[in-house]
Structures are given as structure tokens and as C-alpha cells.
């Protein structure tokens, strides 16, 4: 990861002062660097020790960061990682444009690796992420969204980049298609579990521990799994309360809604769904050789569902 940080530092530079300022702010804002870790763990697990793994690890972090910059503008978020968002500090236009800089810089870097399969994987992944965001936009304020539609959104907007990161490790190792799919399957399941927990924490966490505002999803009228389950299990009056809150993006009765979500066991059920995904992720690893890297990947899948921030 120290090598990845060196690539990140070298690749961030721009003569345009505002790009330098915002890109540094966001890239060094204390992200967990989960996606680059996945690239390295899979590359190492499959003995792909080429320096290209550091470049691609930085690439996925840049793409992730670009999506965060854009997402915080779309969602009008003010707090991320316990700090003011870039849009809160520098404005929407600067945030979107620096997101474009990071996104296009990532493409310059991946071209430098000179492998068509890498381009294919990342071109497809970024396109699917954008589709996921648009699908989510269409689902906003709609309490009749199905669980299938919700799962499609999270597989697209979040799990796809985890999937691509894991797959890239396999691509660097020239793995056959079956092994590549096993790695991708791990990433997809881990990413899905990760987003399910993110959606739990929006109702369960504390703003301070979470580093972002609790109740943001409801404020945006996002019908996430905890709400869908609570509506299914709640009384007629509770269902009506949640429906109205989703339709209006109303948080004035947030505490009542949190109580319903907890009482109906919707958070536990969502956590259980995340655990099932994490178990699937660990099963995918059975196709890989057993070594310290696959052991870390196993641990990674457990940690991703037991986190509280
Ligand atoms: C630029 C390709 C491109 C698309 C723009 C706005 C958008 C389309 C996509 C947003 C996708 C998005 C932000 C999904 C949420 C993913 C998520 C759970 C992010 C938080 O990830 P962490 O917790 O972040 O790994 P840290 O802070 O650790 O880096």
C-alpha cells in the first residue's frame, strides 16, 4: 500500500492549482482504500508481482474518489469521513470537474498498463456504476421499489468496482476465465455485503462514529433494504409512516421510523443478508491457492460485515 501511495502522489499532480488542492484534499481525506487492497491481495494471491498492480490499485482508488465527488454533489451531502465534503468546501462545479480530472487521469494510467483486458474490465465497470446511479435516481421517492431493483442498484453502484478490483488481480496473473470469475464473484459479494451494511449504518450508527450524517438515505427518499423490510413487517400505520417519509424525503419523524426499523428486526435481517453475501465471498476463495493473501481475503470478508463505521 506504500507503493500505491507513491503512485497516487505521483499521479495526482496538475499545474492547475485548484485541481491540485481539491484532488489532494479528497484523496488524503482518510478513506479506507479497500478497493486498492483488493487488487493487491488478489494479484499477490495469484503470484502476479508485476509493478502494474500498484498502478491499477491507484486507478481503482481514483475511480472510487471520482464517484464520491460526483455522488456528494448529487446527494447534496455535507459530511464524509468526518470532514466537510469537497462540494461543501469548494462548491459543486469544482467538485464535479475535479471528479472528471481524477476519472480521466485513471484512464490515462490504465492505458499505460497496455493490456486490453484491463481496459475492457474498467470501461465496463465505470459504465455500470453510472447506470446504477441513474437507476437509483429513478427509484428515489418510490416506496414500491422491489427488493430485486434495490439489489440491482447496489450491485451496480457499489459492488461493480469491488468486482472489477478483484478481477484485475486475476487479469494481471493471466488467470483462466474460471479463476477470474471466482475472483470477480468474491468482489461482487463483498461489495454487496459492504453496501448492505452501509445501509444498515444509516439507521443504526452515530453521526460521529460514522463520519457522515445519520438518516441521509431517508432525507434523500432512498428506499433501502431496512425500510423495505420494515414496511413488509410493520403494521398498516407503520407502513404508511415509512411510505410517506420515502415519498417526501421527510426526516422530521426519523426517530419513530428508526424505532419501527429496529422493532421489526429489519436491521438484523439486512445484516443477515450481508453475512450471506460475505459467506458467498469466502466460498469463491476455495478456487484459489491457500496462502497468506487468501487468508487476508477471508478475514476481509468477515470484517466487512462486522464493521460499525
Ligand atoms: C465517475 C464513473 C463515475 C460515475 C459517477 C455518482 C456516481 C456516478 C457514482 C457513485 C457511486 C457511489 C458513490 C456508490 C457508493 C459506494 C460507497 C459505499 C462508497 C463508500 O465507500 P468507502 O466506505 O469509502 O469504501 P472510503 O471513505 O473508505 O474511501
Amino acid at each position: 500500500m506504500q507503493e500505491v501511495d507513491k503512485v497516487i502522489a505521483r499521479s495526482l499532480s496538475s499545474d492547475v492549482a485548484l485541481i491540485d488542492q481539491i484532488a489532494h484534499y479528497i484523496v488524503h481525506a482518510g478513506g479506507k482504500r479497500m478497493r486498492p487492497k483488493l487488487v493487491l491481495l488478489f494479484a499477490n494471491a495469484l503470484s502476479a508481482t508485476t509493478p502494474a498492480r500498484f498502478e491499477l490499485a491507484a486507478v481503482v482508488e481514483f475511480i472510487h474518489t471520482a464517484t464520491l465527488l460526483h455522488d456528494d454533489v448529487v446527494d447534496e451531502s455535507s459530511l464524509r469521513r468526518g470532514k466537510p465534503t469537497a462540494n461543501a468546501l469548494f462548491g459543486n462545479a469544482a467538485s464535479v470537474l475535479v471528479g472528471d480530472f481524477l476519472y480521466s487521469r485513471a484512464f490515462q494510467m490504465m492505458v499505460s498498463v497496455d493490456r486490453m483486458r484491463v481496459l475492457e474490465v474498467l470501461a465496463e465497470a465505470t459504465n455500470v456504476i453510472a447506470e446504477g446511479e441513474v437507476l437509483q435516481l429513478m427509484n428515489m421517492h418510490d416506496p414500491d421499489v422491489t427488493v430485486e431493483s434495490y439489489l440491482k442498484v447496489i450491485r451496480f453502484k457499489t459492488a461493480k468496482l469491488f468486482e472489477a478490483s478483484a478481477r484485475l488481480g486475476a487479469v494481471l496473473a493471466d488467470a483462466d476465465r474460471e479463476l477470474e470469475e471466482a475472483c470477480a464473484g468474491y468482489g461482487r459479494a463483498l461489495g454487496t455485503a459492504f453496501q448492505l451494511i452501509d445501509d444498515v449504518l444509516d439507521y443504526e450508527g452515530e453521526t460521529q462514529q460514522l463520519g457522515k450524517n445519520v438518516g441521509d438515505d431517508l432525507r434523500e427518499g432512498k428506499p433501502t433494504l431496512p425500510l423495505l423490510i420494515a414496511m413488509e413487517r410493520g403494521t398498516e400505520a407503520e407502513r404508511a409512516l415509512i411510505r410517506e417519509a420515502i415519498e417526501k424525503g421527510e426526516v422530521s419523524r426519523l426517530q419513530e421510523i428508526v424505532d419501527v426499523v429496529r422493532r421489526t428486526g429489519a436491521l438484523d435481517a439486512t445484516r443477515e443478508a450481508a453475512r450471506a453475501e460475505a459467506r458467498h465471498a469466502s466460498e469463491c476463495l476455495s478456487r484459489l491457492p491457500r496462502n497468506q493473501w487468501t487468508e487476508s481475503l477471508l478475514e476481509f470478508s468477515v470484517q466487512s460485515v462486522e464493521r460499525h463505521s
Side-chain angles (χ1 to χ4, degrees):
M1 289 305 292
Q2 283 169 0
E3 291 302 317
V4 176
D5 277 345
K6 282 186 205 162
V7 177
I8 287 178
R10 165 163 50 78
S11 311
L12 264 190
S13 68
S14 163
D15 292 339
V16 180
L18 189 61
I19 291 180
D20 237 28
Q21 192 185 2
I22 301 180
H24 275 90
Y25 176 76
I26 184 84
V27 171
H28 297 293
K32 296 180 285 298
R33 304 265 202 264
M34 291 182 71
R35 297 147 191 86
K37 283 174 190 161
L38 277 187
V39 175
L40 298 192
L41 285 170
F42 275 98
N44 289 345
L46 301 174
S47 309
T49 52
T50 157
R53 70 193 193 283
F54 302 128
E55 203 73 16
L56 291 183
V59 162
V60 295
E61 187 65 9
F62 277 14
I63 293 174
H64 165 61
T65 310
T67 70
L68 295 186
L69 282 167
H70 286 186
D71 197 49
D72 286 339
V73 170
V74 172
D75 293 348
E76 299 176 26
S77 305
S78 57
L79 197 66
R80 179 179 288 279
R81 300 160 169 169
K83 298 194 171 99
T85 52
N87 45 304
L89 280 182
F90 305 99
N92 284 348
S95 275
V96 169
L97 295 173
V98 172
D100 291 340
F101 169 84
L102 285 172
Y103 183 56
S104 51
R105 176 56 52 89
F107 272 83
Q108 288 178 316
M109 292 159 70
M110 70 183 89
V111 168
S112 77
V113 171
D114 202 17
R115 273 180 188 247
M116 188 49 105
R117 183 85 190 112
V118 165
L119 292 179
E120 268 173 12
V121 168
L122 288 166
E124 201 241 354
T126 49
N127 190 251
V128 166
I129 293 168
E131 274 186 327
E133 280 288 298
V134 178
L135 189 58
Q136 176 172 268
L137 187 68
M138 290 165 64
N139 287 352
M140 229 66 131
H141 299 292
D142 180 0
D144 294 315
V145 159
T146 60
V147 171
E148 287 69 35
S149 181
Y150 161 82
L151 286 174
K152 185 171 178 182
V153 166
I154 70 174
R155 286 211 193 283
F156 279 28
K157 73 165 187 174
T158 306
K160 195 68 197 178
L161 194 54
F162 281 81
E163 176 189 321
S165 303
R167 192 186 285 279
L168 287 174
V171 169
L172 287 178
D174 290 319
D176 62 29
R177 217 37 194 255
E178 201 185 322
L179 184 54
E180 188 187 306
E181 289 309 327
C183 298
Y186 172 99
R188 190 162 52 242
L190 183 86
T192 306
F194 183 79
Q195 184 63 57
L196 286 166
I197 296 298
D198 223 58
D199 293 348
V200 166
L201 293 176
D202 202 72
Y203 291 96
E204 188 182 71
E206 299 286 332
T207 297
Q208 214 174 6
Q209 192 183 15
L210 218 53
K212 61 182 185 179
N213 295 314
V214 171
D216 264 357
D217 286 348
L218 189 63
R219 201 168 286 115
E220 291 160 36
K222 263 188 208 164
T224 58
L225 192 57
L227 290 185
L228 297 183
I229 295 176
M231 276 196 287
E232 196 184 281
R233 295 183 179 180
T235 63
E236 200 53 56
E238 290 168 342
R239 201 168 9 261
L241 170 71
I242 297 176
R243 278 189 76 86
E244 196 183 332
I246 293 175
E247 279 166 355
K248 296 187 177 155
E250 180 56 75
V251 283
S252 63
R253 296 176 72 185
L254 178 64
Q255 194 49 55
E256 277 173 80
I257 291 173
V258 169
D259 291 343
V260 176
V261 166
R262 287 191 183 151
R263 194 191 53 72
T264 54
L267 295 179
D268 291 337
T270 306
R271 246 184 214 285
E272 200 37 62
R275 287 201 185 100
E277 290 289 340
R279 277 194 297 277
H280 179 64
S282 58
E283 281 158 19
C284 292
L285 293 176
S286 63
R287 293 187 183 275
L288 278 79
R290 270 198 86 153
N291 52 38
Q292 58 172 311
W293 313 108
T294 43
E295 284 302 316
S296 294
L297 284 163
L298 207 56
E299 214 172 289
F300 211 10
S301 62
V302 175
Q303 279 171 10
S304 69
V305 285
E306 302 311 332
R307 71 195 178 98
H308 295 278
S309 64

